[in-house]
Amino acid sequence: MEQDRLHRVLAEIGPLAVAVSGGVDSLTLAASAHRRLGRDRALMVHAASPAVPSEATRRVRSEAERLGWFLRVVEAGEFADPQYRANPVNRCFFCKTNLYGTIRQVTDRTMVSGANLDDLGEYRPGLDAAREHGVRHPYVEAGLDKAAVRALARNLGLGSVADLPSAPCLSSRVETGIRIEPETLAFIHAVENLVSRTLGAGSGARRAVRCRVRAAGIVVELDPDSLAALDTPHQTLLAERIQAEAPTSLPQAPVRFTAYRTGSAFLTGATP
């Protein structure tokens, strides 16, 4: 059983620190670690940042209070790193380097992440930073993919967490080479919330709403069902609102709506 395999891995690691972003993977890992190791041996560390949606931080705090986790909220400091702010193709490496370096300052426990088997098939420079910092990936070691993680979340009684759509950091929406600015990320977050409210409830884990900031303008990417639900009049109204609220520093071009593609803001042919 997946849960038994994961618990064996967690027991073998011993006292640990879970990097908790607020998504289904890390929240489920935190809940599993707390259940298997207890409060004294399972520390949860959440990094608050302009790149982390405020609802993710609220979700982490809520689950920690509800389940009795030992939680530390820190500032990872990636926005003080010029290499991160320059947004090269391996930006995630610098983000995770700052995160793991900060966690190491507050604990000497083994650090663990919520990476699962599905993540190994994607371009993830953050995994290079994890390797350099000795971070372990219990889901990978236990042979769990994303579907298994969601099933585990349901078994743990995490409710709506199990159906959270994938939500990488807000900086992942900014095309490679465009500088990462807090006001840009705040705008991206506002656009995604606006579009999600317009779409209403439904879709759950299948929903994808991404506001991409590109050199050629702003692109809103949606899963097939959501894209089909937004007819031309709704798209026109949304585009007008988005353009009106866009920071003047962003490319001034028509807002487009198109199908969601994982990681489409990364231009992997660019030089890091």
Side-chain angles (χ1 to χ4, degrees), residues 210-214 216-221 254-259:
R210 298 287 188 273
C211 173
R212 308 289 195 192
V213 171
R214 302 185 181 280
I218 298 164
V219 179
V220 178
E221 295 183 357
V255 176
R256 296 189 297 112
F257 292 82
T258 188

Side-chain angles (χ1 to χ4, degrees), residues 25-48:
D25 296 321
S26 62
L27 287 171
T28 303
L29 183 60
S32 297
H34 178 79
R35 177 171 292 193
R36 180 65 183 85
L37 300 175
R39 180 182 173 89
D40 292 340
R41 296 201 299 158
L43 168 66
M44 317 312 171
V45 184
H46 174 72

